[in-house]
């Protein structure tokens, strides 16, 4: 059985933990470096990226996690977690910086800083063939946006035009994968649709082989 760590310094780690447990996976709250021992993968939840980043450094988790990411350890960042995964967010902030992404924090301005929409994510067919073509309901809360990706990054989802703050579609990316690293701008742990958790668990299982 896989053991998935959920970074539990701040933010909505409890929700991720509950989803993982409902899928029959052991979920472990991670606060200290020794909590990383024996993990098969790790989720960085939504919350406040400045706080999580600062605490990650303070608790001595940033360096081991960066190292593990470089060795192929699967990590999934949602919302604030996605900000922490990015190499470039346009200003100085403590990050993990392990994915080749340019991310804009709070990209949706004040009026619409929270919204919900439906996303097309063709790659989810692999985890749930029966739901082929079924869009995923996505909750965005003061969400960030991926405005550009590096060469080794696979784009998994873009915003539909009605929600997109940028003109060119390649600047409106909300889910991406780079090797065993995954980033989503929204919160799959807040809906009943767990295909993204399954998708991440597939990455974890493949990394274990
Ligand atoms: N706005 C938050 C940040 O910049 C992210 C919001 C979230 O995780 N829901 O860190």
């Amino acid at each position: 059985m896989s053991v998935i760590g959920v970074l539990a310094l701040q933010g909505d780690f409890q929700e991720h933990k509950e989803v993982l447990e409902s899928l029959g996976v052991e979920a472990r709250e991670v606060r200290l470096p020794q909590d990383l021992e024996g993990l098969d993968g790790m989720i960085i939840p939504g919350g406040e990226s400045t706080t999580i980043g600062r605490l990650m450094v303070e608790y001595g988790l940033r360096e081991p996690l960066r190292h593990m990411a470089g060795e192929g350890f699967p990590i999934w960042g949602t919302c604030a977690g996605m900000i922490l995964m990015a190499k470039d967010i346009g200003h100085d902030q403590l990050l993990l910086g392990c994915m080749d992404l340019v991310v804009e924090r709070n990209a949706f301005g004040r009026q619409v800083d929270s919204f919900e929409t439906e996303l097309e994510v063709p790659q989810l067919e692999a985890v749930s063939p029966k739901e082929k073509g079924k869009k995923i309901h996505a909750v965005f809360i003061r969400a960030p946006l991926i405005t550009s990706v590096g060469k080794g990054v696979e784009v998994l989802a873009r915003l539909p035009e009605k929600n997109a703050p940028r003109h060119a579609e390649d600047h409106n990316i909300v889910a991406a994968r780079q090797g065993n690293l995954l980033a989503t701008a929204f919160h799959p742990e807040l809906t009943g649709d767990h295909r993204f958790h399954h998708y991440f668990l597939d990455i974890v299982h493949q990394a274990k082989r």
Side-chain angles (χ1 to χ4, degrees):
M1 191 164 112
S2 296
V3 187
I4 307 295
V6 184
L7 188 67
L9 300 174
Q10 191 264 337
D12 77 331
F13 53 89
Q14 188 59 35
E15 284 78 358
H16 274 292
K17 212 179 143 201
E18 281 164 19
V19 175
L20 290 169
E21 283 164 356
S22 80
L23 300 177
V25 173
E26 189 181 330
R28 184 195 298 164
E29 294 183 12
V30 171
R31 293 190 180 81
L32 295 167
Q34 55 263 38
D35 300 331
L36 297 170
E37 197 101 353
L39 290 182
D40 299 301
M42 174 96 182
I43 294 177
I44 305 179
E48 195 52 50
S49 60
T50 47
T51 307
I52 300 175
R54 213 175 337 106
L55 292 174
M56 222 188 238
V57 172
E58 222 164 278
Y59 286 74
L61 285 165
R62 186 167 77 143
E63 289 319 311
L65 276 172
R66 270 160 92 107
H67 177 77
M68 287 160 81
E71 305 269 285
F73 177 74
I75 307 180
W76 173 20
T78 58
C79 203
M82 179 179 98
I83 297 170
L84 291 157
M85 298 293 277
K87 282 209 170 118
D88 181 358
I89 63 162
H91 64 265
D92 222 11
Q93 189 180 313
L94 293 169
L95 304 170
L96 260 189
C98 50
M99 281 181 86
D100 215 352
L101 312 174
V102 181
V103 163
E104 186 185 338
R105 279 183 75 191
N106 303 325
F108 298 91
R110 268 197 209 138
Q111 313 280 341
V112 281
D113 50 16
S114 300
F115 64 96
E116 303 187 13
T117 193
E118 310 287 321
L119 301 175
E120 255 173 68
V121 192
Q123 284 87 339
L124 292 179
E125 189 194 332
V127 295
S128 181
K130 269 197 248 154
E131 292 171 288
K132 180 174 191 247
K134 187 184 159 210
K135 291 187 180 172
I136 195 144
H137 188 75
V139 179
F140 291 82
I141 304 167
R142 294 218 315 132
L145 183 68
I146 301 171
T147 57
S148 151
V149 299
K151 272 203 208 92
V153 178
E154 180 188 11
V155 172
L156 299 178
R158 293 183 171 87
L159 281 171
E161 217 177 296
K162 62 171 184 197
N163 304 110
R166 303 282 187 118
H167 291 300
E169 67 161 15
D170 271 337
H171 300 315
N172 292 301
I173 299 162
V174 288
R177 173 178 180 175
Q178 182 173 16
N180 294 331
L181 305 173
L182 179 64
T184 54
F186 46 95
H187 290 267
E189 74 283 10
L190 298 181
T191 64
D193 189 337
H194 299 146
R195 282 178 289 166
F196 260 102
H197 285 80
H198 281 294
Y199 183 78
F200 180 62
L201 291 173
D202 268 7
I203 295 178
V204 170
H205 294 146
Q206 272 159 35
K208 261 171 107 165
R209 283 207 220 123

